[in-house]
C-alpha cells in the first residue's frame, strides 16, 4: 500500500506518519521510485503500537524508540524479547537505597515473590523495573502507616497471577512472534487503564453491597 492508503487504514495523518518515519519509530517502506514507497501490514501494526505508546501512554519519542528497539531485537529468544520490550516501558524511579523503609520493602517484596512461587521474578530482583515499582509502593505504604505486610498484599499478588494468564492468552492469539511482542507491549499500555477503572467500579459495587444494602 502507498502512504495515502496507510494513512487511511490507520487513521494516522500522512504528516504524522512522515514524522514517525523521520524519528525511526516506523521502519521505512520499500522504495518504489525516488519519491514513493510501498508499505505493508507490518507497518500498519507498528503504527498501532506507536500510537499506543505515544498517544495513549504519553511516552516521549526517545523512550518509545527504545521500546521499539527491544521489540525488534531478534537476537533474543521469545521470552527474553517479550521481557525486554516490556522492561523498556517507563516504570518510575528506582528505589532509594539508603532509607530503612526501602530496605524493609525489599524484604517484604522478596518474601512475597517467594510465597507466590514466582521464582523467575525473584531471580531478577533489583534488576527488574517492576520489582523497583513494587519496592517503592510498599515503602510508601509503610511510611504512611497503611497495610504493607506480605499477608496484606498477597491477595493482590494472586490476582496479578490470574491477570498474567489472561494477558498472555490474549498475546498468544497473534500468529507470529513479532506480532506477539508488539501486542504484549501495546496491551501492557492499553489495558492498565482498563484494570484501574474496573477495580474502581468493582469497589463501588462492593461498597454498596457492604454498607448500603438495599437502601
Amino acid at each position: 500500500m502507498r502512504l495515502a492508503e496507510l494513512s487511511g487504514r490507520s487513521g494516522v495523518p500522512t504528516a504524522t506518519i512522515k514524522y514517525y518515519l523521520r524519528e525511526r519509530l516506523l521502519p521505512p517502506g520499500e522504495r518504489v521510485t525516488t519519491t514513493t514507497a510501498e508499505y505493508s501490514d507490518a507497518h500498519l501494526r507498528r503504527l498501532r503500537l506507536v500510537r499506543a505508546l505515544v498517544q495513549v501512554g504519553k511516552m516521549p519519542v526517545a523512550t518509545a524508540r527504545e521500546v521499539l528497539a527491544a521489540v525488534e531485537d531478534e537476537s533474543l529468544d521469545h521470552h527474553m524479547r517479550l521481557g525486554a520490550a516490556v522492561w523498556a516501558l517507563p516504570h518510575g524511579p528506582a528505589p532509594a537505597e539508603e532509607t530503612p523503609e526501602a530496605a524493609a520493602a525489599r524484604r517484604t517484596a522478596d518474601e512475597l515473590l517467594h510465597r507466590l512461587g514466582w521464582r523467575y521474578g525473584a531471580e531478577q530482583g533489583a534488576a527488574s523495573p517492576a520489582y523497583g515499582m513494587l519496592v517503592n509502593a510498599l515503602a510508601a505504604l509503610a511510611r504512611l502507616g497503611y497495610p504493607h505486610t506480605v499477608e496484606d498484599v498477597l491477595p493482590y499478588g494472586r490476582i496479578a497471577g490470574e491477570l498474567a494468564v489472561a494477558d498472555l492468552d490474549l498475546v498468544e492469539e497473534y500468529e507470529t512472534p513479532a506480532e506477539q511482542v508488539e501486542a504484549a507491549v501495546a496491551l501492557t499500555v492499553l489495558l492498565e487503564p482498563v484494570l484501574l477503572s474496573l477495580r474502581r467500579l468493582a469497589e463501588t459495587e462492593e461498597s454498596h453491597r457492604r454498607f448500603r444494602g438495599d437502601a
Side-chain angles (χ1 to χ4, degrees):
M1 74 188 89
R2 300 297 171 87
L3 183 62
E5 184 181 353
L6 179 63
S7 174
R9 290 181 61 183
S10 66
V12 179
T14 56
T16 303
I17 295 176
K18 290 178 180 178
Y19 170 70
Y20 290 160
L21 287 166
R22 288 196 304 272
E23 293 294 330
R24 305 192 310 280
L25 298 179
L26 190 68
E30 182 178 349
R31 186 62 60 184
V32 178
T33 70
T34 55
T35 58
T36 60
E38 191 76 19
Y39 300 93
S40 66
D41 287 341
H43 288 91
L44 193 59
R45 290 199 318 270
R46 179 55 58 87
L47 265 179
R48 289 198 293 262
L49 176 56
V50 171
R51 291 180 75 188
L53 298 177
V54 176
Q55 296 182 11
V56 179
K58 306 300 182 185
M59 197 176 296
V61 167
T63 304
R65 194 183 298 118
E66 292 177 10
V67 174
L68 294 171
V71 168
E72 294 170 348
D73 189 351
E74 296 181 357
S75 68
L76 303 174
D77 65 34
H78 196 39
H79 166 67
M80 294 300 295
R81 193 173 169 192
L82 282 168
V86 174
W87 276 31
L89 295 171
H91 288 84
E97 294 292 338
E98 68 281 358
T99 65
E101 292 92 345
R106 284 190 192 86
R107 291 192 294 271
T108 301
D110 291 343
E111 177 61 21
L112 174 65
L113 296 180
H114 174 73
R115 292 278 297 276
L116 290 167
W118 294 359
R119 181 182 60 82
Y120 185 69
E123 288 174 355
Q124 291 173 332
S128 167
Y131 177 90
M133 289 176 65
L134 176 60
V135 169
N136 278 339
L138 292 171
L141 287 167
R143 188 166 55 250
L144 298 173
Y146 287 100
H148 58 277
T149 68
V150 172
E151 294 300 329
D152 292 324
V153 295
L154 189 59
Y156 296 93
R158 289 173 176 149
I159 292 169
E162 295 178 12
L163 289 172
V165 172
D167 284 343
L168 292 181
D169 283 347
L170 281 178
V171 167
E172 284 192 317
E173 291 182 7
Y174 292 84
E175 293 183 1
T176 68
E179 289 176 292
Q180 290 180 0
V181 175
E182 290 179 350
V185 174
L187 291 172
T188 298
V189 173
L190 297 173
L191 281 178
E192 284 183 348
V194 173
L195 295 175
L196 177 59
S197 60
L198 286 174
R199 181 189 180 194
R200 293 181 179 181
L201 288 167
E203 287 176 346
T204 300
E205 290 297 313
E206 182 63 13
S207 174
H208 185 277
R209 186 188 69 80
R210 293 191 184 199
F211 306 129
R212 290 288 303 275
D214 295 329

